[in-house]
Amino acid sequence: MSGRAAGKRRQVPRSSVTIQDVADRAGVSTATVSRALMTPDRVRAETREQVLQAVAATGYTPNRAARSLRARKAMMAMVIVPNVGNPFFSEVLRGIDAALSENGYGLIIGNLDNSHARERHFVDLAFAGQVDGVLLMNGWMPVKDDRQLQDAGVPIVSVGTNVIETEVPMIIVQNREASEEIACHLTGLGHRRLGYISGPLGNWVDAQRWQGYREGAAATGLDPDSIVRWGGRFDFRAGSAAGAAFLAMAPAQRPTGVFAASDEIAIGFLKVVRSAGVRVPEDVSVVGFDGIEYADYCEPTLTTVHQPRHELGRAGAMVLLRMLDQPAWQPPMRTDLKAKLIVRDSTGPAPAAAGSADRR
């Protein structure tokens, strides 16, 4: 024990207690305190008890540290997000954070930034015991070399999508049913030439929306194979690219009703075609999916499917919390939340039904 530790204990204001104060009180190094709090299995039981007593005596983050040490938990959950810049995810993250905070857990946001390369670090965090559970919003199981996240021994829940080829509980909205309703909405307005702007190839959510759109078209007597499909991602640039492809078509061949797999895609499409003089909805009706705030502020306001994003995040977090609290509990493998079609100004009668003709 150092001379400083062996002498009279100083009285430290609780608001200024540091890890060094805890180390002095326990008669160990700061590194040992850190290991005892973050990776308790690497520290002897008697040493952990010394640190716990020092934490209680000094008031060093008492709720978090003491609870973590006794429960051998980090009291942290990690959510892996494809791209935090996408406005769809912000409200989902708020729902997750609200549920975790109410139950004493912190949140680590693992932003992939649309890059598989970044997932390696998040796998390391799980294997190092830095998080107690993981919420996935990316649609695949992160890996690093020969290690998969699912082998880290922490509960995993998928939010907003399915983790392909992996059995983990998922909380999703009714993508297929809502997309079928979009097709019925457009055909009900007289549209017979339909278009679809997709998300990434192989994406599970996009596949669900494409399937529902095709089924809705078929239910109204249209050949689903006649739907013009443009590939893309869930972002503005994909919508802009699809808009350019739309403009390159002969006016008489262009779809008059277009469903974009996300609101960002739809807004990018709207900007490009309207800049070229195409009227929305007089010449082409456009529908998005997600219900982000921008959809109510773009011009024209966007018809879209509203996802209950806050509820989606909260429901996923609550499943994860129960898995942490009751390890023997078997969660439902799929929980569906309803989505709602919100009709705004970007959809209207098909040109022929409105008595106008394709002029651009």
Side-chain angles (χ1 to χ4, degrees):
M1 183 180 295
S2 68
R4 180 184 176 190
K8 184 179 180 179
R9 302 292 182 190
R10 60 190 178 118
Q11 296 298 315
V12 182
R14 295 175 68 89
S15 61
S16 61
V17 173
T18 68
I19 193 172
Q20 183 65 61
D21 299 316
V22 177
D24 290 347
R25 183 88 180 191
V28 298
S29 68
T30 56
T32 298
V33 174
S34 180
R35 284 195 297 271
L37 296 176
M38 301 304 297
T39 54
D41 289 340
R42 297 175 57 189
V43 180
R44 291 183 304 168
E46 54 268 33
T47 302
R48 289 199 303 271
E49 184 59 29
Q50 285 178 248
V51 172
L52 179 60
Q53 291 177 2
V55 166
T58 60
Y60 177 70
T61 56
N63 294 336
R64 176 81 174 274
R67 184 177 175 187
S68 297
L69 190 55
R70 288 195 179 99
R72 298 193 181 188
K73 290 182 179 180
M75 300 307 296
M76 296 291 293
M78 176 167 59
V79 56
I80 298 180
V81 186
N83 179 11
V84 294
N86 187 318
F88 166 75
F89 296 114
S90 61
E91 191 65 20
V92 181
L93 288 171
R94 288 182 64 188
I96 291 172
D97 183 58
L100 292 176
S101 297
E102 290 167 7
N103 289 274
Y105 280 78
L107 175 64
I108 295 175
I109 298 176
N111 179 27
L112 290 170
D113 200 22
N114 293 321
S115 170
H116 278 272
R118 302 191 66 176
E119 66 192 66
R120 297 163 61 89
H121 174 60
F122 308 139
V123 174
D124 284 341
L125 286 177
F127 272 90
Q130 301 298 299
V131 296
D132 300 312
V134 178
L135 294 153
L136 293 178
M137 300 181 67
N138 56 302
W140 71 86
M141 189 62 64
V143 299
K144 179 184 178 181
D145 303 326
D146 60 342
R147 297 199 302 183
Q148 288 197 356
L149 178 67
Q150 67 194 62
D151 297 326
V154 298
I156 299 172
V157 177
S158 182
V159 179
T161 186
N162 180 31
V163 180
I164 299 173
E165 298 181 354
T166 307
E167 287 291 323
V168 298
M170 62 176 173
I171 316 296
I172 60 171
V173 299
Q174 295 177 334
N175 292 282
R176 186 176 56 78
E177 294 85 346
S179 300
E180 184 175 352
E181 186 178 1
I182 289 172
C184 294
H185 171 64
L186 290 173
T187 56
L189 291 169
H191 296 277
R192 309 304 291 174
R193 299 198 307 271
L194 300 182
Y196 178 73
I197 313 173
S198 77
L201 182 65
N203 180 276
W204 183 85
V205 168
D206 177 74
Q208 291 287 298
R209 293 175 187 174
W210 173 234
Q211 179 185 354
Y213 194 49
R214 286 173 57 87
E215 290 174 352
T220 62
L222 291 182
D223 178 4
D225 292 333
S226 69
I227 300 173
V228 178
R229 182 175 182 176
W230 297 284
R233 299 172 67 170
F234 294 121
D235 58 24
F236 296 115
R237 287 176 294 179
S240 297
F246 173 89
L247 294 171
M249 298 177 69
Q253 301 301 316
R254 295 171 182 166
T256 63
V258 173
F259 168 32
S262 79
D263 287 347
E264 280 203 13
I265 296 174
I267 293 169
F269 179 85
L270 281 173
K271 184 177 187 299
V272 169
V273 300
R274 292 184 74 246
S275 295
V278 174
R279 299 172 303 166
V280 180
E282 292 85 356
D283 299 318
V284 60
S285 288
V286 181
V287 183
F289 202 113
D290 287 338
I292 64 174
E293 285 75 9
Y294 296 157
D296 201 24
Y297 291 93
C298 64
E299 182 60 37
T301 56
L302 182 65
T303 294
T304 184
V305 170
H306 177 265
Q307 297 199 62
R309 292 178 291 152
H310 192 278
E311 293 84 349
L312 187 67
R314 185 176 186 86
M318 293 306 293
V319 169
L320 181 66
L321 288 166
R322 185 171 177 186
M323 292 172 72
L324 290 168
D325 189 54
Q326 303 174 28
W329 178 61
Q330 294 295 319
M333 295 308 294
R334 175 168 176 162
T335 302
D336 289 85
L337 303 182
K338 290 185 178 181
K340 182 179 180 181
L341 179 65
I342 307 295
V343 178
R344 297 194 179 106
D345 297 335
S346 67
T347 53
S356 61
D358 294 302
R359 294 177 292 174
R360 296 169 176 83

